[in-house]
Amino acid sequence: MEHTWKALLLFIFLCNNGYTHANDCVPREFATGIVCVCNATYCDDTPDSNPRIPENGTLYWYVSSKSGLRLNLSQARFNSCKASSYAPILTVDPSKRYQTIFGFGGAFTDATGINIRNLSQAAQDQIMRTYYGRNGSRYSLGRIPIGGTDFSTRPYTYDDSPGDVSLQYFSLAPEDYNYKIPFIKRAIELNPDVKFVSSAWSAPAWMKINDRINGLFGFLEKRYYGTYVDYLIKFLEEYKKHGIDIWGITTGNEPLNAFVPFDRLNDMGWTPSTVSEWIADYAGPMLENSEFNRTKILILDDQIFEIPLVPELVFRNQKAKHYISGTAVHWYFDRFFPSLLLDDTHNLSPDKFILMTEACTGAGFLNILKVALGSWERAQEYVLSIIEYMNHWGIGWIDWNLVLNKAGGPNWINNNVDAPIIVNPETDEFFKQPMYYALKHFSRFVERGSVRIDLNNNLSNVESTAFVTPSNEVVVVLYNRNNKEEDVVLKDPNNGSVCLKLLPYSINTIIYAQ
Ligand SMILES: *[C@@H]1O[C@H](CO)[C@@H](O)[C@H](O)[C@H]1NC(C)=O
Ligand SMILES: *[C@@H]1O[C@H](CO)[C@@H](O)[C@H](O)[C@H]1NC(C)=O
Ligand SMILES: *[C@@H]1O[C@H](CO)[C@@H](O)[C@H](O)[C@H]1NC(C)=O
Ligand SMILES: *[C@@H]1O[C@H](CO)[C@@H](O)[C@H](O)[C@H]1NC(C)=O
Ligand SMILES: *[C@@H]1O[C@H](CO)[C@@H](O)[C@H](O)[C@H]1NC(C)=O
Ligand SMILES: *[C@@H]1O[C@H](CO)[C@@H](O)[C@H](O)[C@H]1NC(C)=O
Ligand SMILES: *[C@@H]1O[C@H](CO)[C@@H](O)[C@H](O)[C@H]1NC(C)=O
Ligand SMILES: *[C@@H]1O[C@H](CO)[C@@H](O)[C@H](O)[C@H]1NC(C)=O
């Protein structure tokens, strides 16, 4: 039986003429795994020129695996195999629909731009195309820090003149001009539908009670609640002058860090009651009365263990609730807390979305290796997280630094971490890690406006999620977390069944017309 369907696959494959091959991965092996190497003239990709919607009865099947496949495309056919009695069945139900997907992307930190600029012009553009291009990951989101973060080479904000209440000395930083704006503009050229979420890590130190950019109890002084909104609006104005529209703004990155002793990250603390007052009486009305009246306000921008409690407390202020569009969640403690927290947050107010706004591997003192070149385990963490967020009301998933160097920096407090793309300036190359492909398995296919659909799966070794796209394709993503092959049968009530042999530790994206 097994040989029959393999032969059939091969037959279909050979018969299919109008098929364009992708540039293949150029693999390089490190002690920690396999990366794909790109340079000024070559980068593996996934061309657009295949028929967008596979022909009647056929499915596209993209596979990436620990063994080294990277979005390897083959085709399969519905009803071409007899489901063996033991093969477990995954059933898609396109009629049962959940949230609408907004997109996937990464963050334009200073470190990202510094590292991209350490390569030749041509290699720089390869990076931008491999993330935002049609033949690349087709990223549709970006996160733009407002001023500096720890992934800057110095601490700064846009107005470091103490007491400048009229913000006359407000100005963007050299980092914006050198490391952010050029690459953000290129992303917009590559994908005009890209949307940006912005977060400040801290207000200017002089607006805070501790008079510092980081450290304990750095709360915004109440007398500057309005000034700080003016500051954020100035940022929106300056970026707009460069043709960059900001879709949404969070209430600030990880306010909880201001309660953690010895934490050196740029931070600004909120409590549910101070942030709801700030939104209700300042940020909400002031944005509404500005030309940025369509800018979404996202709360939290912090760890999963704070939900649903923090949103619940914030929403008690009805005026604040009115101005809030959604909750931004970071992934760092996800593995210790159930996804049920996301469901509870959704249920608090189903009209408010949930967006995952920051994730990276290699973070924290438990990770001795900041960058683990080629690590499949880290790709697995990405895939499992994306599937969890998708299955629990997340509308998108935004990676942290788009690009880092081999040390996982630069970072002004040495809080280095890993990233899906690592540059190797000595040879004008960059390395695409398995994490890059993990995200691409979603971002490339689950375009904005796709809706998550039901997928009945009770397999313990296969994680799954499914969508229907605006052009009516079904996209199913399966992850085999087993170290053995898994035989599964994917069943669609309208189209029948297809047998799939999932390689050990493999990410599988399956696409077919509905
Ligand atoms: C770029 O990569 C391609 C594919 O590996 C290779 O053929 C080419 O020689 C590389 N170019 C340089 C300048 O290294
Ligand atoms: C995508 O790849 C195809 C095939 O290699 C190429 O013809 C096309 O120009 C590429 N498109 C973009 C936007 O790079
Ligand atoms: C699609 O395939 C089915 C059976 O394989 C056939 O009955 C149907 O006519 C086909 N439709 C088109 C539009 O080719
Ligand atoms: C699945 O069924 C629908 C509805 O009959 C049809 O339009 C679509 O082409 C089928 N898809 C495949 C891959 O056969
Ligand atoms: C990779 O894809 C090719 C078709 O492009 C297919 O022949 C081959 O079997 C696939 N490899 C694996 C291991 O799935
Ligand atoms: C929102 O701002 C735009 C300008 O950006 C303006 O044209 C529009 O009238 C404003 N809408 C409201 C409801 O204030
Ligand atoms: C840029 O590349 C050079 C080597 O070409 C290296 O010495 C330097 O550390 C790199 N800069 C950063 C910020 O990684
Ligand atoms: C798995 O789901 C199938 C239906 O899709 C059901 O028949 C079977 O009993 C389920 N198995 C377990 C262990 O829940």
Side-chain angles (χ1 to χ4, degrees):
M1 195 280 294
E2 182 186 315
H3 283 101
T4 321
W5 74 263
K6 267 194 180 161
L8 203 74
L9 264 181
L10 189 66
F11 172 71
I12 288 154
F13 193 71
L14 295 172
C15 291
N16 195 350
N17 299 321
Y19 178 91
T20 315
H21 271 285
N23 278 343
D24 290 329
C25 165
V26 174
R28 189 172 300 166
E29 208 162 338
F30 289 91
T32 36
I34 302 164
V35 302
C36 301
V37 183
C38 295
N39 61 23
T41 56
Y42 188 92
C43 198
D44 55 287
D45 65 9
T46 310
D48 204 14
S49 43
N50 297 316
R52 233 185 85 74
I53 299 177
E55 289 160 27
N56 186 17
T58 11
L59 308 87
Y60 283 157
W61 179 13
Y62 289 89
V63 182
S64 299
S65 65
K66 186 173 185 183
S67 62
L69 292 180
R70 297 292 178 263
L71 279 104
N72 188 64
L73 173 59
S74 53
Q75 299 193 10
R77 251 188 112 72
F78 273 114
N79 305 320
S80 61
C81 70
K82 273 219 166 62
S84 66
S85 50
Y86 65 87
I89 296 177
L90 290 157
T91 309
V92 179
D93 184 353
S95 68
K96 233 188 201 168
R97 299 189 175 210
Y98 302 91
Q99 80 276 24
T100 300
I101 303 305
F102 188 52
F104 303 87
F108 290 86
T109 57
D110 293 345
T112 292
I114 289 168
N115 288 312
I116 297 178
R117 284 199 56 164
N118 221 357
L119 301 180
S120 67
Q121 280 284 333
Q124 292 180 20
D125 207 53
Q126 293 274 26
I127 292 189
M128 293 313 299
R129 278 181 284 144
T130 207
Y131 269 138
Y132 285 88
R134 293 293 297 169
N135 289 349
S137 301
R138 296 189 182 173
Y139 273 8
S140 55
L141 297 179
R143 184 166 180 234
I144 304 177
I146 301 170
T149 73
D150 55 323
F151 279 93
S152 302
T153 52
R154 63 185 181 110
Y156 67 92
T157 74
Y158 293 139
D159 192 338
D160 292 321
S161 305
D164 183 22
V165 181
S166 61
L167 302 176
Q168 61 175 312
Y169 299 114
F170 179 102
S171 73
L172 295 184
E175 283 86 342
D176 291 278
Y177 298 106
N178 296 328
Y179 305 133
K180 288 175 172 172
I181 291 170
F183 301 113
I184 295 166
K185 288 177 80 162
R186 184 68 181 124
I188 297 170
E189 277 171 22
L190 290 164
N191 180 2
D193 293 328
V194 64
K195 299 269 194 263
F196 300 104
V197 183
S198 277
S199 312
W201 265 240
S202 174
W206 55 267
M207 293 188 196
K208 295 163 68 185
I209 63 166
N210 66 348
D211 211 25
R212 288 175 55 191
I213 202 163
N214 61 0
L216 263 187
F217 307 134
F219 302 110
L220 187 62
E221 276 193 56
K222 184 123 188 237
R223 63 178 161 146
Y224 294 130
Y225 273 23
T227 314
Y228 183 49
V229 181
D230 290 335
Y231 171 91
L232 296 174
I233 288 176
K234 274 193 177 297
F235 158 78
L236 296 173
E237 282 168 355
E238 290 302 315
Y239 264 61
K240 195 178 169 68
K241 283 182 197 159
H242 291 277
I244 302 165
D245 290 317
I246 306 297
W247 167 84
I249 192 162
T250 79
T251 45
N253 180 72
E254 298 188 357
L256 199 66
N257 289 336
F259 298 87
V260 180
F262 311 114
D263 196 283
R264 295 171 64 221
L265 274 157
N266 322 30
D267 65 29
M268 188 169 86
W270 289 118
T271 66
S273 108
T274 58
V275 81
S276 55
E277 182 188 344
W278 180 69
I279 296 166
D281 300 336
Y282 299 88
M286 287 171 75
L287 277 171
E288 191 173 57
N289 293 322
S290 77
E291 63 171 309
F292 304 103
N293 52 29
R294 293 169 68 183
T295 311
K296 310 267 185 258
I297 297 178
L298 283 68
I299 55 164
L300 198 71
D301 210 12
D302 213 338
Q303 315 302 341
I304 194 166
F305 55 75
E306 297 169 60
I307 59 171
L309 183 64
V310 171
E312 189 183 341
L313 294 174
V314 172
F315 293 164
R316 279 187 194 168
N317 182 328
Q318 289 297 320
K319 210 170 148 205
K321 184 178 180 183
H322 160 78
Y323 290 116
I324 296 163
S325 295
T327 301
V329 184
H330 293 186
W331 91 330
Y332 298 96
F333 293 85
D334 287 8
R335 75 183 78 171
F336 308 112
F337 295 87
S339 317
L340 199 68
L341 299 178
L342 294 166
D343 298 336
D344 290 345
T345 304
H346 168 77
N347 291 335
L348 280 179
S349 191
D351 58 323
K352 309 218 186 285
F353 61 75
I354 296 170
L355 181 62
M356 204 300 295
T357 49
E358 194 185 303
C360 70
T361 58
F365 63 91
L366 289 175
N367 279 291
I368 294 155
L369 275 180
K370 293 304 162 186
V371 173
L373 284 176
S375 165
W376 186 262
E377 292 65 33
R378 290 180 176 190
Q380 173 171 305
E381 284 188 59
Y382 269 40
V383 168
L384 295 180
S385 170
I386 299 169
I387 290 177
E388 281 300 285
Y389 276 92
M390 294 298 115
N391 288 344
H392 299 274
W393 300 105
I395 64 163
W397 203 94
I398 309 179
D399 196 10
W400 187 210
N401 301 275
L402 286 161
V403 184
L404 289 175
N405 64 22
K406 282 168 285 176
N411 181 293
W412 76 274
I413 56 167
N414 298 318
N415 181 30
N416 292 19
V417 301
D418 211 340
I421 290 183
I422 299 293
V423 291
N424 194 36
E426 290 79 3
T427 52
D428 196 34
E429 294 171 327
F430 60 92
F431 302 141
K432 296 204 296 190
Q433 304 218 62
M435 290 182 281
Y436 165 88
Y437 299 92
L439 247 162
K440 186 173 176 180
H441 267 273
F442 297 84
S443 62
R444 177 67 168 67
F445 309 103
V446 185
E447 66 196 279
R448 176 167 307 140
S450 298
V451 178
R452 184 172 75 83
I453 56 177
D454 207 56
L455 178 60
N456 188 331
N457 169 9
N458 53 22
L459 305 177
S460 52
N461 288 319
V462 177
E463 304 296 335
S464 62
T465 188
F467 311 85
V468 57
T469 68
S471 40
N472 230 14
E473 296 157 78
V474 171
V475 178
V476 178
V477 185
L478 305 175
Y479 184 67
N480 177 11
R481 58 193 304 171
N482 201 353
N483 61 2
K484 294 197 291 280
E485 285 183 347
E486 288 272 346
D487 283 300
V488 302
V489 177
L490 181 70
K491 196 170 163 184
D492 183 302
N494 301 318
N495 300 85
S497 304
V498 59
C499 302
L500 304 167
K501 190 178 276 300
L502 308 182
L503 292 176
Y505 300 118
S506 67
I507 315 169
N508 302 266
T509 297
I510 291 127
I511 304 156
Y512 59 90
Q514 204 221 333

